[in-house]
Each structure stands twice: as C-alpha cells, then as structure tokens.
Amino acid sequence: IKRKKFHSAHQPEDSLDVNLSTKSVSYFEDLCNEIIYEILEYFDFDYIYETFSSLNQRFVNLIINSNLPIKINISSVSKPNFQRYYKDIILPYRQRIKSLRITNSFTADIILSSHDNISKLTRLETLIFTNISPSYIRNLQYLINLPKLSSLTITNDGYTKTEETEFCHQIFQLPVLKYCNILLGMDYTLLVSSLPFATNKYSLIEDLVIKNYIQLDTLYTILSYTPHIRRLSLSYLVEPEKRQNMTFSITLNHLTYISLKLTSFDFHHFELLAKDLFHNLQVLRLYASSEITYLDANRWQNLILSHIPNLTIFDFQYVYFLWSKKDMLPSYKNLIQKFTSSFWIERQWFFSTQYPYRKNAGNLIFFSVKPY
C-alpha cells in the first residue's frame, strides 16, 4: 500500500502498472521449510492440524510426516470433541509433544490415567495443569521418567497437608526440572508441608514461583531442596507462628532475583531473611504495607551495604492504609524525604508518592519509578 501511494505521488499513471508488475509477489507456500517451522512454533498443534493438514502434500509432509515439536493446549473443549482430539492428534503424535496444557478433569482422566500414557511423552518439556483434582497427585511420580521435563505449572483445588507434602516430594524428584510454578487451592490458602529439611537429595529447580501464602519456616524447608535456585517469586510471605529467630544454613550462591509480597511481616524478620538469602541478589522487587519501618531509608541503606552489596535493581512499593491505625501521615512524609540522599541518587533508585485524595480516605503509596 505504501509503495502504491509513493508511485502514485511521484510517477505518471502510465508507468505505475509497469513498475508494480515487475515486483515479485511472495506467498506463504513459497517460504522455505525452516521458516515455516519457525512460524508454526507459535501455534498450538490443533490449529496447525486443522488449517494446514489438507492444504497439499508438502504441508502434509511438513506437519504429519515430520518430527516437528508439538504444543497441545486443551482448554474449553467438550468431552466428545476431546475424545476425537485425543484419538486423532494426541495418541498418534504424543512422542512429538513438547508442551502440554491440561485445564479440566476429564482430559486428565484420559491423559494421566496410566504410566504408559505418560511415559510416551518423551519430548515433553513444559507441562501445565489447571483446575486438576488432588487425586492425580500420585500420578506425578510417573513424570520422573520424562527425560526433558524442565517446566511445570500446577494450579489445583485444595490439598490436605499430607497431599501437599507428597506433592512437594514428587516435585523435587523430577530429574531435570528447572521452572516450577504452583498454586494449591486459593491464593490465600496457606501452603503447609511437613517435609524434613533436605540433607542429601536436591532438586535442579532454578526458577520457583509460589502463589500461595507461605510461612517463613516452610519457605526455608523448601529452599533447602533447591540449592541451584536463581529466581524466587512469592505472592504472599508471612511470618511463622513461632516468632523465634530463624537461620538458613545453606548458601544460595545462584540466587540473584527475588520478588516478594509481604503480609504481616515485620522489618526485623525481613532483615534476617536478607542476611540469610540475599548475599548475591541483583534484583529485588518488594511489596510491603502497614509497618512504618519499611520507610526507614537509613536502615535500608545499612542493610543493602552490609548484606545486599550486588543489588542493582530495587523495585519497591509500600502502601499505608489510612484506615488501619491513627493518622501518621506527617511521620510518613518526613521518612519519605530521606530517600533522596546521594546513596539513592547514585544508584538511580528514584521514588514517587501517591497521597490520599482526602484526609482519612484512600491510601498512601510510595513506589519506585523509572527506569523500572
């Protein structure tokens, strides 16, 4: 279209058709196999199968008679349609499946029903379970035989304490798992595990995401199984019921990224956490609320210089709920001003404040601004 407009504006009309006619026109079918394969990687296999399998013999060979990795996303499908899908697509090509997403129980009934079904998924790298019953937890043991399973995401209904412990145990047995993302029940459900502290068996997990509420002591136990962890994201970290000082004896040398949302977690316990885990931290994304100590710039400066010396990105958000206690807004304003010293400016850590829209209504939000 741009070329037409350009020629129309700059050339006589009688020369326009000649110039356009000499331009070669490419069709999708003219692309080489390598480029087509790269394009097809962006689509689920059901879409590829329905769209291209009957186009011509070349595409039949590319899609059906090839070794192309397959992505399967089973969502919003009726049971009869899935049975056909399972028979025509999953069973014949399961040894080519690279990514598999299961979002309901009747699909899990079929795919996860036996060790034989799971063991045939020899190229599976990414597995995603959503809304799957805890009754399938025992079938996770079959995943241990999958040589390439490196990414696992599970969002399931509520688990009992025993089931959660068994679940964690099965996860840490997976031999090449690098990414794990879990939410058991609702996000406000406390993740509880009676796993012992790891002593001689460890996981290769490098990226761990936990979306449940989790207490500090449970977190320390889980981290004892993941000495290779690089990235840790916690949606809700809470203090343990017993508020004794806790220490973590294992040094996580590779942990460089942490994202935390703190709930009922005082700054003293956060300092202990930093001393235990943040030695090599480069990126800290933190959400905190209520406790005023999180706005103590001097205390932050001492903590960073002493225990987080490699920190380069400090992405911080603090929320003060006006309804939660007596009006301390003047005190908060005085504390916030101290985040403009040379320590913060030299590191290019800048902050802004959103004040309540009227007295005793709304929240005060103190937060990081550009470049984050």
Side-chain angles (χ1 to χ4, degrees):
I1 291 173
K2 288 182 178 179
R3 188 165 65 240
K4 279 186 178 181
K5 289 181 178 179
F6 178 85
H7 283 289
S8 297
H10 294 84
Q11 296 185 14
E13 290 185 4
D14 57 354
S15 65
L16 178 60
D17 293 336
V18 175
N19 286 327
L20 289 178
S21 65
T22 61
K23 302 293 183 181
S24 62
V25 179
S26 295
Y27 295 92
F28 181 76
E29 294 95 319
D30 295 332
L31 296 173
C32 66
N33 292 351
E34 289 76 14
I35 298 297
I36 290 178
Y37 279 146
E38 287 193 28
I39 294 172
L40 295 183
E41 285 187 3
Y42 288 89
F43 299 95
D44 294 322
F45 188 67
D46 56 337
Y47 174 82
I48 297 172
Y49 185 86
E50 294 292 338
T51 305
F52 297 105
S53 61
S54 301
L55 184 60
N56 55 44
Q57 187 57 44
R58 180 197 175 201
F59 277 85
V60 170
N61 292 332
L62 284 175
I63 296 168
I64 306 302
N65 304 325
S66 77
N67 203 30
L68 177 71
I70 294 173
K71 295 181 180 180
I72 302 290
N73 184 357
I74 306 169
S75 59
S76 303
V77 60
S78 65
K79 192 170 185 178
N81 286 340
F82 172 73
Q83 290 173 337
R84 176 196 61 79
Y85 185 84
Y86 181 73
K87 178 182 177 182
D88 295 343
I89 295 180
I90 295 181
L91 273 181
Y93 309 113
R94 57 186 172 180
Q95 292 180 331
R96 290 169 50 190
I97 296 177
K98 177 182 179 180
S99 174
L100 177 60
R101 183 186 185 101
I102 302 175
T103 60
N104 51 57
S105 294
F106 67 79
T107 58
D109 281 335
I110 298 175
I111 296 178
L112 303 179
S113 59
S114 69
H115 175 241
D116 182 65
N117 276 354
I118 297 176
S119 63
K120 294 294 193 299
L121 301 171
T122 53
R123 293 180 65 181
L124 187 65
E125 297 179 10
T126 301
L127 180 58
I128 301 173
F129 291 132
T130 305
N131 301 324
I132 304 302
S133 168
S135 62
Y136 294 102
I137 189 172
R138 290 178 177 81
N139 292 12
L140 291 179
Q141 63 183 311
Y142 302 142
L143 301 180
I144 196 172
N145 297 316
L146 300 183
K148 295 188 176 183
L149 182 62
S150 60
S151 176
L152 179 64
T153 299
I154 297 185
T155 303
N156 283 5
D157 296 331
Y159 279 54
T160 65
K161 181 178 179 179
T162 301
E163 289 171 333
E164 288 182 2
T165 300
E166 184 179 353
F167 168 80
C168 292
H169 176 74
Q170 301 289 359
I171 293 297
F172 296 141
Q173 298 299 310
L174 300 179
V176 295
L177 191 67
K178 297 295 181 67
Y179 173 83
C180 183
N181 186 327
I182 59 174
L183 172 60
L184 307 183
M186 304 300 290
D187 55 4
Y188 54 78
T189 304
L190 187 66
L191 182 64
V192 180
S193 172
S194 57
L195 278 175
F197 213 77
T199 55
N200 56 6
K201 292 185 178 181
Y202 305 101
S203 169
L204 295 179
I205 291 175
E206 296 180 357
D207 193 339
L208 179 61
V209 180
I210 300 176
K211 295 180 178 178
N212 290 88
Y213 275 68
I214 182 170
Q215 291 180 330
L216 184 59
D217 50 347
T218 303
L219 173 65
Y220 277 5
T221 300
I222 289 176
L223 291 180
S224 72
Y225 288 85
T226 59
H228 304 284
I229 193 167
R230 297 177 181 273
R231 295 171 59 92
L232 175 65
S233 300
L234 303 175
S235 294
Y236 306 96
L237 180 64
V238 298
E239 292 182 1
E241 293 180 359
K242 297 179 180 179
R243 297 198 174 192
Q244 76 276 18
N245 289 342
M246 303 176 62
T247 57
F248 188 69
S249 57
I250 300 175
T251 301
L252 301 177
N253 292 320
H254 308 289
L255 184 59
T256 58
Y257 175 100
I258 289 183
S259 175
L260 292 175
K261 183 174 182 179
L262 302 178
T263 302
S264 302
F265 205 96
D266 67 44
F267 194 77
H268 170 67
H269 280 89
F270 177 79
E271 288 177 315
L272 296 178
L273 176 68
K275 293 173 183 178
D276 286 337
L277 302 183
F278 293 7
H279 312 288
N280 297 310
L281 202 64
Q282 298 175 15
V283 180
L284 175 60
R285 303 192 185 278
L286 177 68
Y287 171 93
S289 61
S290 300
E291 188 185 336
I292 195 171
T293 318
Y294 282 96
L295 292 183
D296 189 333
N298 293 330
R299 198 160 169 179
W300 268 113
Q301 180 174 334
N302 293 332
L303 178 63
I304 292 170
L305 290 175
S306 300
H307 301 286
I308 327 177
N310 299 315
L311 192 64
T312 57
I313 295 179
F314 180 55
D315 189 0
F316 180 46
Q317 180 175 331
Y318 174 87
V319 179
Y320 164 53
F321 304 104
L322 290 181
W323 47 262
S324 62
K325 57 185 71 176
K326 64 180 181 179
D327 184 16
M328 297 179 62
L329 201 55
S331 300
Y332 279 74
K333 290 181 178 180
N334 292 333
L335 288 171
I336 287 170
Q337 291 176 357
K338 296 180 181 180
F339 282 90
T340 58
S341 68
S342 59
F343 171 83
W344 305 96
I345 295 174
E346 288 171 1
R347 290 162 175 77
Q348 298 188 36
W349 294 341
F350 306 112
F351 305 91
S352 185
T353 308
Q354 176 181 303
Y355 289 99
Y357 59 89
R358 61 185 175 86
K359 187 176 181 180
N360 297 325
N363 304 320
L364 179 146
I365 306 176
F366 178 71
F367 55 96
S368 299
V369 292
K370 291 183 179 180
Y372 316 130

